Amino acid sequence: MIAASGITRDATMTDAARRDGIVPVPSLPPLSRLSLNSPLALTGPVLVALPCLLAALLGFNTYATYGADAALGIAVGAAAVVAMAQTLILAARPPLVEPLFGGLDRMYRVHKWLGISAMVLMILHQQIEPDFERLVRETSLGELGEEAGELAFNALLALVAVSWFRRLPFTPLEIPYQIWRFSHRFMGALFAIVVFHQFFVDLPTEVDPSLSVLLNTFGIAGVIAWIFTELVAPYLRRREFTVTEISQTKDTTTLTLRPEGRAMRWRPGQFAFFRAPEAGLSEPHPFTIASAPRPDGTLTFCIRGLGGWTRSLPAILRTGTRVQVEGPYGWFNFRKGGARQIWLAGGIGITPFLAWAESLTEAESRDIHLIYCVPTQEEAIGVETLRAAAARNPRFSFEVVVTTRDGRLTAERLIGAVPFAIRQADLWFCGPTGLKDGILKGLKAQGQTPRRVRFEQFEFT
């Protein structure tokens, strides 16, 4: 889930890129897990794969008469253009598309692997580049398009490699987020050169134009999406807030923000991107909103100090500092779950559950038990919010497991703590992946696998 309370996604985008509590980035989550968060969660990946496949098939079929090598070279090149265009479209974070992936975290995973796929396809296109010199009348614009394609290919290859290997394999070294983000912003400009190449490179004139129409459409859409992301979205989506309260609990900073002008509307469990340019923190970082919607529009972020950016907050921010918030995003919504639910939080992963607990009313009919794991009692945040929720509704209960005092949470302890059958309940999780994997493995061994397991990813990049 996006970093705990504030989705400490700060971590996600900066130092450790771990969204304040949310997930490891190196590998994709199992597809079975993806489908658990939303019945539409697999629709998005399928929808982005189909245009790539269509472009490849159309490219091969259109140029089959020129030989297998030429047809294959065009096919992989066409698929690369469509894949790269879609990475830029997804990077624009279109709100109507997010539900098709089951949340922005999973949409970014697809974005990442689309970029990697585009890189592989570009390499293949470069290796089996079709030669039409004897079949076309060469033009100066066509030669320029070919040279532009070579330039864009090499530059894109380098940038995609930086994105792919942000964490250098088999080493603890990591490319700083600021460098990664700065290089990432050039993707759209280089893709525009690829589109120029597609428009003007010399090709046989008697072939069916359907492939060109498809590639030109996706190419233009990708460039427009990039322009929107870089030049329009920052001003259209961001809302102004003022810091009204700052508190510190161990290494977690809690911020209360008051809207200036139009308030933001969100559902408990969603996250937003936070930046404070007035304080020198201009890079946006994602954090879970740790509070339910309130009449005055104020919201709370609980941000754990996982890196330089997040650790600097207490010293840099002051009451009255103007900040900017963009969102909301995410589809982590317990109201989509069943009548019996287990909420399991690890560390800063408590943040979405704090928002959920604050939103509970006396009329809530679900049976809910929350288990909150922290290393020490001093690191527990939001306990007052949980107590108030339990006082309002007897169907909600919670307990704090202090691992240095009580030991690590095990599946056996979880089974004994929950006041209903786990096999008949939904398990909602936010926290370190190791905690989730260990608990699920233990529950399976005990024959107590939950009815459904739902979680968000801890990291984006």
Side-chain angles (χ1 to χ4, degrees):
M1 176 121 213
I2 284 169
S5 179
I7 281 187
T8 255
R9 278 174 175 181
D10 146 31
T12 239
M13 316 275 290
T14 31
D15 311 316
R18 27 196 115 173
R19 212 182 167 187
D20 193 13
I22 289 178
V23 224
V25 153
S27 61
L28 283 171
L31 290 180
S32 60
R33 293 295 185 214
L34 288 176
S35 63
L36 290 172
N37 274 328
S38 167
L40 294 176
L42 291 179
T43 304
V46 171
L47 288 179
V48 299
L50 288 178
C52 298
L53 181 60
L54 174 62
L57 293 176
L58 190 57
F60 190 90
N61 183 64
T62 300
Y63 288 88
T65 57
Y66 296 93
D69 286 348
L72 184 58
I74 291 291
V76 295
V81 170
V82 173
M84 197 65 207
Q86 291 188 99
T87 64
L88 295 172
I89 293 171
L90 295 185
R93 302 199 285 265
L96 296 179
V97 173
E98 182 188 347
L100 302 180
F101 294 83
L104 187 64
D105 54 332
R106 287 171 171 80
M107 190 169 82
Y108 269 13
R109 285 296 181 92
V110 175
H111 160 86
K112 172 186 174 181
W113 288 103
L114 269 175
I116 293 171
S117 300
M119 180 183 71
V120 173
L121 292 168
M122 283 189 291
I123 293 174
L124 291 175
H125 177 69
Q126 183 76 357
Q127 296 302 311
I128 51 180
E129 183 178 1
D131 183 6
F132 297 116
E133 289 186 6
R134 300 178 183 178
L135 303 175
V136 301
R137 180 180 172 212
E138 295 187 359
T139 65
S140 57
L141 196 58
E143 292 180 4
L144 180 60
E146 186 172 350
E147 293 174 1
E150 290 283 342
L151 170 65
F153 166 77
N154 291 311
L156 277 172
L157 199 61
L159 291 186
V160 174
V162 167
S163 296
W164 192 0
F165 295 112
R166 186 188 166 195
R167 292 195 181 125
L168 302 183
F170 311 112
T171 75
L173 301 179
E174 180 178 301
I175 297 173
Y177 171 74
Q178 290 78 3
I179 296 177
W180 173 87
R181 179 175 169 79
F182 180 76
S183 66
H184 218 59
R185 300 180 71 171
F186 287 100
M187 289 282 191
L190 293 174
F191 180 71
I193 299 176
V194 171
V195 174
F196 177 86
H197 166 79
Q198 152 61 27
F199 263 87
F200 297 110
V201 70
D202 294 316
L203 294 172
T205 57
E206 63 273 13
V207 297
D208 188 323
S210 300
L211 177 63
S212 293
V213 171
L214 176 68
L215 296 183
N216 293 341
T217 300
F218 272 94
I220 293 173
V223 172
I224 291 175
W226 173 67
I227 293 174
F228 175 82
T229 300
E230 295 297 326
L231 302 179
V232 180
Y235 304 98
L236 185 64
R237 292 176 170 173
R238 289 172 184 163
R239 291 180 172 85
E240 299 289 332
F241 284 76
T242 297
V243 178
T244 59
E245 186 178 340
I246 304 175
S247 62
Q248 190 76 13
T249 303
K250 203 72 190 271
D251 59 354
T252 298
T253 302
T254 299
L255 303 175
T256 300
L257 311 179
R258 182 191 67 231
E260 299 295 332
R262 186 165 58 101
M264 187 175 73
R265 301 175 61 183
W266 74 92
R267 294 186 308 273
Q270 290 190 295
F271 67 94
F273 289 84
F274 170 86
R275 67 194 293 265
E278 186 178 287
L281 304 173
S282 57
E283 291 291 346
H285 290 71
F287 300 99
T288 297
I289 302 171
S291 57
R294 299 163 179 166
D296 61 359
T298 60
L299 59 82
T300 300
F301 286 133
C302 299
I303 303 172
R304 185 180 179 191
L306 295 174
W309 196 96
T310 44
R311 292 193 187 105
S312 69
L313 293 179
I316 293 178
L317 293 181
R318 296 285 183 273
T319 300
T321 301
R322 300 271 294 212
V323 300
Q324 296 175 342
V325 177
E326 176 193 333
Y329 297 101
W331 290 81
F332 201 55
N333 185 359
F334 80 96
R335 300 192 186 281
K336 301 291 185 180
R340 293 178 176 175
Q341 300 186 15
I342 304 164
W343 298 353
L344 177 57
I348 194 63
I350 189 62
T351 50
F353 301 118
L354 292 179
W356 287 0
E358 185 179 330
S359 73
L360 294 176
T361 66
E362 298 84 348
E364 178 58 56
S365 60
R366 296 173 179 83
D367 292 317
I368 300 169
H369 186 72
L370 165 67
I371 298 180
Y372 176 20
C373 300
V374 288
T376 65
Q377 187 67 52
E378 293 73 25
E379 295 178 61
I381 60 174
V383 176
E384 302 80 7
T385 298
L386 301 178
R387 287 174 180 156
R392 283 195 307 274
N393 192 312
R395 290 181 176 273
F396 172 76
S397 58
F398 77 96
E399 60 186 286
V400 178
V401 176
V402 179
T403 55
T404 55
R405 179 193 67 200
D406 308 322
R408 293 178 59 85
L409 178 68
T410 63
E412 292 79 5
R413 289 180 61 184
L414 179 66
I415 294 170
V418 175
F420 42 77
I422 291 180
R423 283 176 296 185
Q424 300 173 2
D426 294 346
L427 173 63
W428 297 82
F429 173 83
C430 185
T433 304
L435 174 61
K436 169 179 64 68
D437 293 344
I439 291 296
L440 291 179
K441 182 178 179 180
L443 290 176
K444 182 178 180 181
Q446 296 285 329
Q448 294 290 329
T449 300
R451 192 170 67 98
R452 287 183 294 185
V453 179
R454 304 190 177 193
F455 60 92
E456 283 190 317
Q457 303 305 309
F458 231 47
E459 299 179 351
F460 276 166
T461 55

